[in-house]
Amino acid sequence: MEGTSPDHISVGSAPKKSSSSSRGRQRNFSSSTCKDFLREFVDNELLTSSLEDWFSGHSEDSGFRKPAFDVPFDLTELQNFDYALEGIKGLWETFWGSDETMPFSVACIHSTSSKFYPAEKAISSGKLDGVCATAVLRKNSKHTQGRWDHIVVLALLRPDIGMVSAQGDQEPSPAVLGEALFFALRVLLSRSLSRSSTVLRNSDCVYLLLVDSQFGGVVKVQGDLNKLDFNLNNVYECAAEWIKKHAKITVSSVDRVWNKLGNANWGDVGTLQVLLAIFQSMIQFCGEPKYSLDELATEHSSRLQSRRSERHLDRQANGNGLFRFQQRSHSPEIVEVQEEATVDVKPQETMKLEIGSVVLMEDAYCQKGSSPSHLEPAWEDMNSWYQVQRQTKVLTLMKQRGISSRYIPQMVASGRVAHPGPCNKTNSSGTCGHPWCSTPILVTSPVGETISNLIRNGLFGVEEALRCCHDCLSALAAAASAGIRHGDIRPENLIRVSNGSRHPYFVLTGWGHAILEDRDRPVMNLFFSSTFALQEGKLCAASDAESLIYLLYFSCGGVCPELDSVESALQWRETSWSRRVIQQKLGDVSAVLKALADYVDSLCGTPYPMDYEIWLRRLRRTINEDHGKEIDTSKLKGKD
């Protein structure tokens, strides 16, 4: 029997009919009066109209851009819930156990009727026009069609929910809130009339979900219906007065729940709010779960440590005294990717004669001035000889350590510009007065167009974002294998190389600020530097990847904040990560970019290394799926 099911027994000594349900029947009104009131209470627009002055007063009292209502859940609750949900398959199976089948069903409500239609039948028959809400119902063998007092949680389907976020508002409009309050009161009234023993606790509280195809929010309504005036001559004014004076109403912000690709933004504030509302609603009908949130959340640290142990992280010092983490063995998830193997690139292979790219310079590696050379370089005019030396040192060190990735520039030459006309300088370190005399220059290959220019010209789209992420991570992985970190990732230091190929690739340039030793300090950039770099003045293991996430965020149209200090930059980072703003934006571009952002967020400020290989594999798979298979045209030669 339903009254003796395991989920009811888990409540302990609670009777079949809870005290709250018993109190609900000891009303100062008759059941028939409540039924008549509910029969007359059918128009949500009339209720919204009766609350119009109240909504206006809340808006005026709240001030500029300040929420008019308290929120149902604070960030600490959501974070605790997030930790508890790690690695689970479902709320019912995780918290109540998988011994019993899930005691819920889903039904649709049409705007023209208060009857329920099983979701499966509505979907299969295509009768979704006019559906205004969906409900999670407690299954009941006696009432298979569903009843209002069996509603666990109700989701209102409104196509304009996302407009709240787009307009920068923090709460839904009065029209949306009015409809939510209407449905909430109908559910509470139905529960007060119920003779069912399924509502075990908090029958005077109901959660409403506000959702559209991408966004979602939560409205919680709680109050004592004994204080409702059941005047059948004016049901909407009575309901409005009860809402104004006796109901406790909390409203969450509207946040993204799904991205444009139809994937749930797991781990985001919007999804967590909706899931926590469903979870609390399940407790009302099923009693306390076998496993509490706090119990599962406290295991977060041990689960995290177990994952780190499984990856066999070992701390070793490299030749420069820097400590870096290495993997002793690969887990089954991480595989060696042969196509990323390094290849030997000879300097002379990068020198291609081409009209228009003439550089005359005094080569630092020759005893005499070099002759004019036709090159295909990307050359940088440094402000100081030190900068040329620094980048030359880094690129040379990479070559010595066997790093020659196609995503890292190759050094062609470094030296000083040989200016036209006579030069009468007295020694190699002096100048003759010519503005170009002794100007240091570094010539690297290949040549390409910076991401800054691509963005400016509207040429940085989804395909470029995915390829850029893959190629930049490849460069960082190759450098990290030699204990080198970039430290200055920004749009000006990433170039797209075409070379006439079908699929261009990106090269990470600007290695003049690379971190070789613990005493080295990265360049500071309010928009692209990692949180740890801004706080501590040095890099952690995930700093370059964090900078890459910021680069992708801004490159894909993310809102550019006004940052005028380190403090404002840190505040923006804290707010953006805590509210999953960055992940939501990248989720519009690609699910794998969003997942990478979540992963990097979990590593920010820690000494644990980036697991580059798994993300390179996932990005490569996504890129290959986008492009399909290429045809080797060389095999078609000679065939008609």
Side-chain angles (χ1 to χ4, degrees), residues 380 382-396 398 408-409 411 442 444 479 484-490 492-494 508-517 519-524 539 544:
E380 301 181 14
M382 302 294 187
N383 293 325
S384 67
W385 188 231
Y386 168 78
Q387 291 294 345
V388 171
Q389 287 181 318
R390 176 70 180 176
Q391 182 138 299
T392 300
K393 176 182 178 180
V394 174
L395 296 180
T396 301
M398 287 184 179
I408 295 177
M411 184 176 64
L442 172 66
T444 62
I484 301 173
R485 296 168 186 164
H486 189 276
D488 189 21
I489 294 178
R490 49 192 172 93
E492 294 77 16
N493 283 338
L494 268 163
L508 181 58
T509 63
W511 291 86
H513 294 279
I515 306 302
L516 304 178
E517 305 176 55
R519 64 182 180 183
D520 293 337
R521 292 294 177 259
V523 64
M524 293 298 172
L539 300 186
D544 280 338

Side-chain angles (χ1 to χ4, degrees), residues 545-619:
E546 183 181 345
S547 294
L548 174 60
I549 294 297
Y550 298 144
L551 181 145
L552 293 171
Y553 170 76
F554 290 121
S555 300
C556 294
V559 177
C560 196
E562 294 183 5
L563 304 178
D564 55 6
S565 64
V566 171
E567 289 75 18
S568 63
L570 290 172
Q571 180 62 45
W572 175 80
R573 282 157 174 76
E574 180 182 359
T575 302
S576 298
W577 285 119
S578 64
R579 297 193 61 82
R580 300 296 197 272
V581 173
I582 296 171
Q583 290 98 320
Q584 289 173 7
K585 183 63 182 177
L586 293 183
D588 291 341
V589 181
S590 166
V592 71
L593 291 184
K594 192 264 182 189
L596 174 61
D598 272 322
Y599 172 76
V600 172
D601 181 25
S602 70
L603 291 182
C604 285
T606 73
Y608 299 100
M610 273 289 298
D611 195 344
Y612 291 105
E613 285 301 318
I614 186 175
W615 292 106
L616 289 174
R617 182 158 62 92
R618 290 175 179 176
L619 283 162

Side-chain angles (χ1 to χ4, degrees), residues 41 43-49 51 55 109-111 130-133 148 154-161 172-186 208-210 219 221 243:
F41 190 66
D43 193 328
N44 72 83
E45 293 183 356
L46 290 179
L47 176 64
T48 302
S49 178
L51 292 169
F55 283 131
I109 303 175
H110 285 261
S111 57
V131 172
C132 66
W148 279 80
L154 191 68
L156 300 184
L157 311 178
R158 293 287 301 242
D160 54 350
I161 296 297
S173 65
V176 174
L177 279 178
E179 185 178 10
L181 295 175
F182 167 80
F183 278 101
L185 188 51
R186 280 194 64 89
L208 276 296
L209 311 181
L210 312 176
V219 176
V221 181
I243 289 172

Side-chain angles (χ1 to χ4, degrees), residues 419-491:
H419 61 81
C423 181
N424 55 5
K425 62 182 179 183
T426 57
N427 54 62
S428 60
S429 61
T431 62
C432 69
H434 191 283
W436 291 3
C437 187
S438 295
T439 299
I441 180 175
L442 172 66
V443 183
T444 62
S445 177
V447 66
E449 187 175 10
T450 66
I451 286 183
S452 300
N453 289 336
L454 295 177
I455 298 172
R456 192 177 302 113
N457 297 323
L459 300 176
F460 195 87
V462 175
E463 184 176 341
E464 286 73 23
L466 287 167
R467 173 60 68 181
C468 175
C469 184
H470 170 273
D471 297 352
C472 192
L473 283 180
S474 298
L476 294 176
S481 66
I484 301 173
R485 296 168 186 164
H486 189 276
D488 189 21
I489 294 178
R490 49 192 172 93

